[in-house]
Each structure stands twice: as C-alpha cells, then as structure tokens.
Amino acid sequence: MQLALADETVEYADTLQPLTEELLTRACREGNRDAYLALEHFLYDQGRHRDAEALTPPAEPPAPHDPAQLLHDAAAGDATALERLRKVVSRQNETFRQIAAAAFTASPALWSWPAKLARAGAPELVEPLLRAGADSGDRQARQRLVSLLDDQGRTHEAEAVLRTVSATDMYALNSLFHRLWPHRPRTAREVLTEAAQAGHILHVLTVLRPLTYGGRLPRDRRFAITAIRVLARLGYEPAQVQLARTLLAEADELEREKTPHHDLVARKRDGAHQLLRQAAPGHREARSLLGRLAEQEDNYTQAADWYRQAIDVGDYEMFPSLLQALRHGTPPNEHEVLYGLDADGSLLPPW
C-alpha cells in the first residue's frame, strides 16, 4: 500500500494498486481490523469516498470462552444454569473438569461461588467441584476444600488433601506440619522427610525455623534443631547455614547469662564456624556471615576476603561491609559507597 500511494516510479505501477486493494480486501474478509483501517485509508487517499464509506468493518472477535461461566451463573441464582450444572457434576465429564479447573481463574470477586451455591440450594455441588479443582493443581481450590472439610469436622480428610501435595507445596507442608505437631510427631516427621527427599529442603527449613527461636517450648526447639542437624550432616548447605545461625544465637544467649559457660559458648561458636566453612563454597550467605564473624574478632583482612567472595557470587549488599573491613572497622559514608574498588582495595573513579 505504501508503494502504491508513493509518488515514485515503481515497477508494475499499473497492477500495484489493484493488487494492494485485493490483498487488503481479502484480509478484511478474514476479520483483520488493521487491514480494514488500511483499506479505508487507501480508498480515501484515491478520492474514492463512496467506496470507503461502503466498507463493512470486520465483526468484533468473540469474547474468550470462560469454562466457569456456567458455574458463576448458577451461583448467581440462574435456575437454568443451576440445573445444567447439576447434570455436568453428575456426569463428571470433560466439561466438569474444565469448569473445576477454571473456577478460581476469574476475578477474586467471583471466588465466593461456593457460599453462593450453598445459598442457592446446591451445597452438594461444592465439594466435587473443589476436589476436581484441587486435583487440577489449583491452590485456591485446595485451600477452600480444606476449609470446607474442617468446617464439617472432617479433619482427617482435610489432612489427607494436604498430604497429597505437601512434599512439593510450601503452603500445604506448613499447614499440615502444624496440624500434626506435636500431637502426632511421627507423622509430622514423615511429611518433612517426604519434602526433603523430594528436594525441597528450603520448604522444610522454612517450617522448622520458627521452632528454633528463643521462647519456644524446649520440645519444639529440640525437634527442630535435631532435624536441621540431620540435614546439615547430609551436606545441605542451607541447613548448615541455618544450624550455624542457631548455634550463634545460643552462644549469644549464654553470654548474656550472669555466669556464662565459656567452654560451651566457645564450642558453639566453633561449631558454627565449621558449618559455615562447609557451606561457603556454594552458599553466599555463609560467606557473608563468615565475614561478619571475622570482623567481630577484629580480623579485618579475613573479613574483607570473605566479603569479596560473597560479592563474587552476587551478594552486592556486602560492598559497604567490604569498605568497612578495608578501613579497619570505620563505617563508610554514603559518598564512599558509590565508588568501586580495584584489586588491592583502592577506590576507583565513580561508577
């Protein structure tokens, strides 16, 4: 079209305009709205106003099909939709699975359909839809199903739903563990073991970490620290770092006592150092912690070395700490943090 409208000498000028018009017309028939606008402009540019005004714009594309529309209509009180939904649920066919999988994909404002269906006189449809949605991997459906079962006093069934995905899903693991612990410790250990064996060590540590905090029951702390210690011995670096943090926190608690056990404090700190060194080759937080510990001991050369290693693997928040270590404990000001460093630690021009 651009060539056909250009005031330039082109090859096949006598066929270029008809060809352009034919191509744009075909595209219009296929529903291309951009082609319609281009053809309208093309005709107007040639002074063919009547032809341009006679054009029929392509129809608007159909709205995307929402498999859950029937569900939302039924929940809104549409009697016809409710009857159709009953038939779909009873057949458990592909349409049923599509509706269940899409039940929570629309606006959160429509997520109240379980309560609305119950008020509409069809509470029996809620659970099969939620179960099918949970089976499709929808977390919102699974959470609603668990709440529904709990409300009905079917606690063991709710736990069974969580157990199906607790090895891979952080929310399910955390919820299930706190349901089981401490009343059913064996099962609680089993679900954590399953998650660890599935490779989700960070999920396990996230569940255990709050149990290690001061103020928790001794039983909770013993269980959590023992579990983290097992993972650390198996070589999991995040567990090694978490255990090191716990040992350091315990050492600090002991030092605040009126009659601190100096030997025990030293053993805990040595154990933490050893764990962090084991984790340091592949864990940047271990390098950062080793730098801070070296700095606390006024070993600024070693602290700077650890900070450099942490920065090398992307922990750029350690840059101010590196400057501080290079200046033997003097905190850098904001201006200095904007500068880079060369290999021996000298300031370079601003970045």
Side-chain angles (χ1 to χ4, degrees), residues 189-266:
R189 286 194 294 270
E190 287 176 0
V191 299
L192 291 180
T193 301
E194 290 168 1
Q197 290 175 341
H200 295 282
I201 304 301
L202 293 179
H203 291 182
V204 176
L205 293 175
T206 301
V207 172
L208 293 173
R209 189 174 295 119
L211 301 184
T212 67
Y213 295 160
R216 298 301 296 247
L217 292 173
R219 171 194 59 204
D220 295 345
R221 285 173 60 89
R222 281 197 303 272
F223 169 76
I225 293 172
T226 300
I228 294 171
R229 195 181 299 278
V230 170
L231 294 173
R233 287 175 178 169
L234 291 173
Y236 293 112
E237 293 160 352
Q240 293 169 339
V241 173
Q242 180 59 40
L243 181 57
R245 283 188 172 279
T246 302
L247 292 174
L248 292 171
E250 290 176 347
D252 291 340
E253 290 177 12
L254 289 170
E255 285 186 330
R256 287 193 290 268
E257 294 181 356
K258 292 182 179 179
T259 55
H261 303 278
H262 296 292
D263 291 344
L264 183 56
V265 170

Side-chain angles (χ1 to χ4, degrees), residues 14 32 65 96 123 131 136 143 173 256 262 312 330 335:
D14 56 336
N32 190 316
H65 173 61
F96 164 75
R131 284 192 179 277
S136 73
Q143 291 177 213
L173 177 66
R256 287 193 290 268
H262 296 292
D312 284 344
T330 304
H335 176 69

Side-chain angles (χ1 to χ4, degrees), residues 25 28-29 31-33 36 39-40 51-59:
T25 301
C28 286
R29 293 196 196 107
N32 190 316
R33 296 188 64 80
Y36 163 75
L39 179 57
E40 185 180 48
D51 291 340
E53 292 167 359
L55 291 175
T56 302

Side-chain angles (χ1 to χ4, degrees), residues 257-305:
E257 294 181 356
K258 292 182 179 179
T259 55
H261 303 278
H262 296 292
D263 291 344
L264 183 56
V265 170
R267 287 201 300 272
K268 288 184 179 294
R269 292 195 180 280
D270 288 344
H273 275 82
Q274 184 178 353
L275 286 164
L276 291 174
R277 290 193 187 93
Q278 291 173 9
H283 201 283
R284 69 184 189 184
E285 186 182 356
R287 303 180 187 194
S288 304
L289 280 172
L290 284 167
R292 294 196 184 283
L293 293 174
E295 195 169 352
Q296 289 173 9
E297 298 169 357
D298 295 331
N299 190 341
Y300 296 108
T301 301
Q302 189 177 69
D305 182 57

